[in-house]
Amino acid sequence: MTGFAKLLKNQKILVVEDDYLVALALSTTLEEAGASVVGPIARAQDAVMLIEEGKEHIDVAILDVDLNGEKSYAVADALALRHIRFVFATGYGVDAVDRQYRQYPRCQKPFDHQALFRALMVRGS
């Protein structure tokens, strides 16, 4: 386990990703790094409902920007309202993220695990 990965120990990370194989690989990587995965969740509406219910503690989240043609911005808004850090994930460039959300961290797919771990550790997002 790398130095970055050790910092994910005991973190509860919400994964919002519509591609089953990507979600599975990402969840496995996070769990191997010591995190507990919440989800994965494939639909924005389901993720927002989980966040609004407040029954599940979430330290940080990874949001696929495009969920089966629907943007994950409602999820980002729900997280930001509750001061929960998140990272956008996309296989496209910075232009794939609407201008008003570009101040939030973004990781490129396929994931560079070290870059992802660094983004998850950024405070104050």
Side-chain angles (χ1 to χ4, degrees):
M1 190 180 301
T2 68
F4 290 118
K6 290 178 185 175
L7 293 176
L8 297 180
K9 187 169 178 63
N10 300 322
Q11 293 288 296
K12 295 206 60 159
I13 302 176
L14 172 64
V15 173
V16 181
E17 169 62 60
D18 63 341
D19 183 301
Y20 175 77
L21 294 177
V22 172
L24 181 63
L26 180 56
S27 295
T28 299
T29 298
L30 294 170
E31 288 169 350
E32 288 173 354
S36 294
V37 173
V38 178
I41 297 175
R43 295 175 9 131
Q45 180 180 359
D46 294 340
V48 169
M49 197 175 342
L50 176 96
I51 294 162
E52 288 179 346
E53 286 175 351
K55 294 178 183 175
E56 188 76 53
H57 176 78
I58 300 167
D59 292 302
V60 64
I62 302 169
L63 310 179
D64 184 4
V65 173
D66 186 1
L67 300 167
N68 290 314
E70 179 184 8
K71 299 295 186 185
S72 63
Y73 301 135
V75 182
D77 292 340
L79 291 165
L81 184 64
R82 289 157 181 81
H83 306 286
I84 299 172
R85 298 177 292 119
F86 61 90
V87 174
F88 282 118
T90 181
Y92 303 99
V94 69
D95 290 340
V97 178
D98 283 355
R99 189 170 306 280
Q100 67 198 50
Y101 293 94
R102 290 185 190 165
Q103 77 270 19
Y104 296 106
R106 180 181 58 86
C107 279
Q108 193 68 30
K109 291 184 194 177
F111 293 109
D112 169 332
H113 295 150
Q114 296 305 312
L116 177 62
F117 293 158
R118 278 191 299 274
L120 291 172
M121 293 182 313
V122 171
R123 303 288 178 195
S125 296

